Amino acid sequence: MILLAFLVAAFVSALLTRRFCDPDSSLHLLDLPNARSLHTRPTPRSGGIALLAGVGAALPLLAVGGWLGPAAACVLPAAVPVAVVSFLDDRSGVGVRWRFAVHLAAALGLIVLVGLPAGLSLPGAVWQPARPLLTVLTVLFCVWMLNLYNFMDGMDGFAGGMTVCGYATLALLGMAAGDAAYAVLAALPAVAALGFLAFNFPPARIFMGDTGAATLGFLAAGLILYAERSGLFPFWAGLLAFAPFIVDATVTLLRRLLRGERIWEAHRSHYYQRLVRLGWGHRRTVLAEYALMLVCAAAALAGPRLPAAGQALLLAATALLFVTLAAGVARLERSAAP
């Protein structure tokens, strides 16, 4: 039943993605180039709808087979408002305040369904802030994850590749912890993303759009929080699985804040955008990002099995890798400057 569900997810995702590429489709929603864009021609942005449809089509099969466990009951309902408001935004536009209100409500709903973790796991310790602070941090994490995933959906094959690698890593972590239902649920978006990637890999014929990116970011946050709450694997291991997105988006945001830039305005200063603009192109840049995703996935899978000192060393080595890569991009920019 699991294999059949995965096949259905990939098939429906690919079929609908191909359909939404057609200008005659009712969901041929165009992404027009703007100051943030790396593309130069209008491109459909409804691929995420197809991806989520693939996930949705497989859920009844998993339910019949008894493979939808507590994680699905906690995480999936909370993601519905995010998917709905993101779809409306893709289709006709929704004000920032309304979107943010829905994001906050969804994050609070997730906390109600999943529950707050006792604390946040660190190598050899657990940080246990006061409950009000923990609640605020949890809400901020959920809202930031769904938004950063959207920010990083700006290059052919990038968000789709992160979905495959990141969610597959969560699935393997869940399997290693002995929670097969969690593993199956986490693997489902990864499998559906393969059908989408067939049309999104450079040169992309279709993009994921807010519907897919925001919902997938929120689902990732929910699955990571559920794992921490249930003791499946530490919070930091889940962060490592999506580190290529989290680090780029967070560091870019902080850099813009320090420069006094208007962070709500469109920009092209993410590291992946800078590489494309340096002449690397979409394909070369996304393949380099895929390699980074695999390194982070390996670190996430190995980390929980290490002693505390080994975990700390692993996190330090990963941080050093990102610092080195950031310095490398800056050096390339200096070399390319007239």
Side-chain angles (χ1 to χ4, degrees):
M1 188 65 74
I2 295 175
L3 179 58
L4 177 59
F6 285 169
L7 289 174
V8 167
F11 177 75
V12 171
S13 177
L15 182 68
L16 291 181
T17 301
R18 170 65 186 85
R19 173 58 183 159
F20 296 160
C21 290
D22 189 340
D24 294 330
S25 167
S26 60
L27 285 177
H28 186 74
L29 309 176
L30 290 178
D31 190 320
L32 304 178
N34 56 35
R36 175 180 175 266
S37 305
L38 293 176
H39 63 291
T40 56
R41 64 171 186 239
T43 305
R45 61 169 183 265
S46 42
I49 301 171
L51 192 160
L52 295 178
V55 172
L59 289 177
L61 293 173
L62 294 177
V64 169
W67 287 101
L68 288 185
C74 293
V75 176
L76 294 179
V80 172
V82 174
V84 171
V85 76
S86 300
F87 172 74
L88 294 175
D89 190 42
D90 275 336
R91 192 169 183 87
S92 55
V94 175
V96 174
R97 292 181 181 179
W98 284 106
R99 275 184 286 138
F100 186 63
V102 173
H103 296 169
L104 285 177
L108 291 171
L110 182 66
I111 291 174
V112 171
L113 292 170
V114 174
L116 281 175
L120 300 178
S121 298
L122 303 172
V126 177
W127 180 42
Q128 295 178 306
R131 190 173 180 84
L133 177 58
L134 183 59
T135 301
V136 171
L137 292 175
T138 302
V139 170
L140 288 177
F141 170 66
C142 294
V143 173
W144 181 228
M145 276 293 290
L146 74 88
N147 279 285
L148 75 82
Y149 217 103
N150 195 21
F151 296 155
M152 298 299 286
D153 179 29
M155 176 174 65
D156 297 0
F158 196 20
M162 185 75 266
T163 301
V164 172
C165 193
Y167 277 90
T169 303
L170 295 185
L172 291 173
L173 285 167
M175 186 63 72
D179 192 332
Y182 177 95
V184 170
L185 178 65
L188 196 54
V191 174
L194 291 173
F196 164 72
L197 265 178
F199 302 91
N200 178 246
F201 190 78
R205 298 172 57 188
I206 191 169
F207 299 151
M208 185 175 289
D210 289 8
T211 307
T215 307
L216 288 169
F218 185 83
L219 285 173
L223 287 170
I224 291 170
L225 287 171
Y226 179 89
E228 171 70 29
R229 168 78 170 157
S230 304
L232 298 181
F233 53 84
F235 180 75
W236 57 263
L239 296 185
L240 269 181
F242 291 89
F245 268 27
I246 295 172
V247 173
D248 189 330
T250 304
V251 170
T252 299
L253 175 68
L254 294 175
R255 289 175 67 247
R256 298 189 71 213
L257 281 171
L258 291 173
R259 291 176 178 177
E261 298 178 16
R262 299 178 179 179
I263 60 173
W264 57 87
E265 292 183 348
H267 66 95
R268 292 193 295 177
S269 54
H270 288 291
Y271 284 97
Y272 74 91
Q273 293 171 321
R274 291 158 66 183
L275 282 173
V276 172
R277 294 170 63 195
L278 280 167
W280 276 42
H282 287 254
R283 185 178 293 250
R284 182 183 177 188
T285 303
V286 83
L287 289 176
E289 291 283 0
Y290 285 176
L292 179 61
M293 290 174 193
L294 291 174
V295 171
C296 291
L301 292 171
R305 304 178 183 181
L306 298 175
Q311 293 175 356
L313 183 61
L314 178 68
L315 291 177
T318 306
L320 180 60
L321 172 62
F322 278 105
V323 170
T324 303
L325 292 174
V329 174
R331 186 166 58 250
L332 287 173
E333 289 175 326
R334 288 194 297 270
S335 300

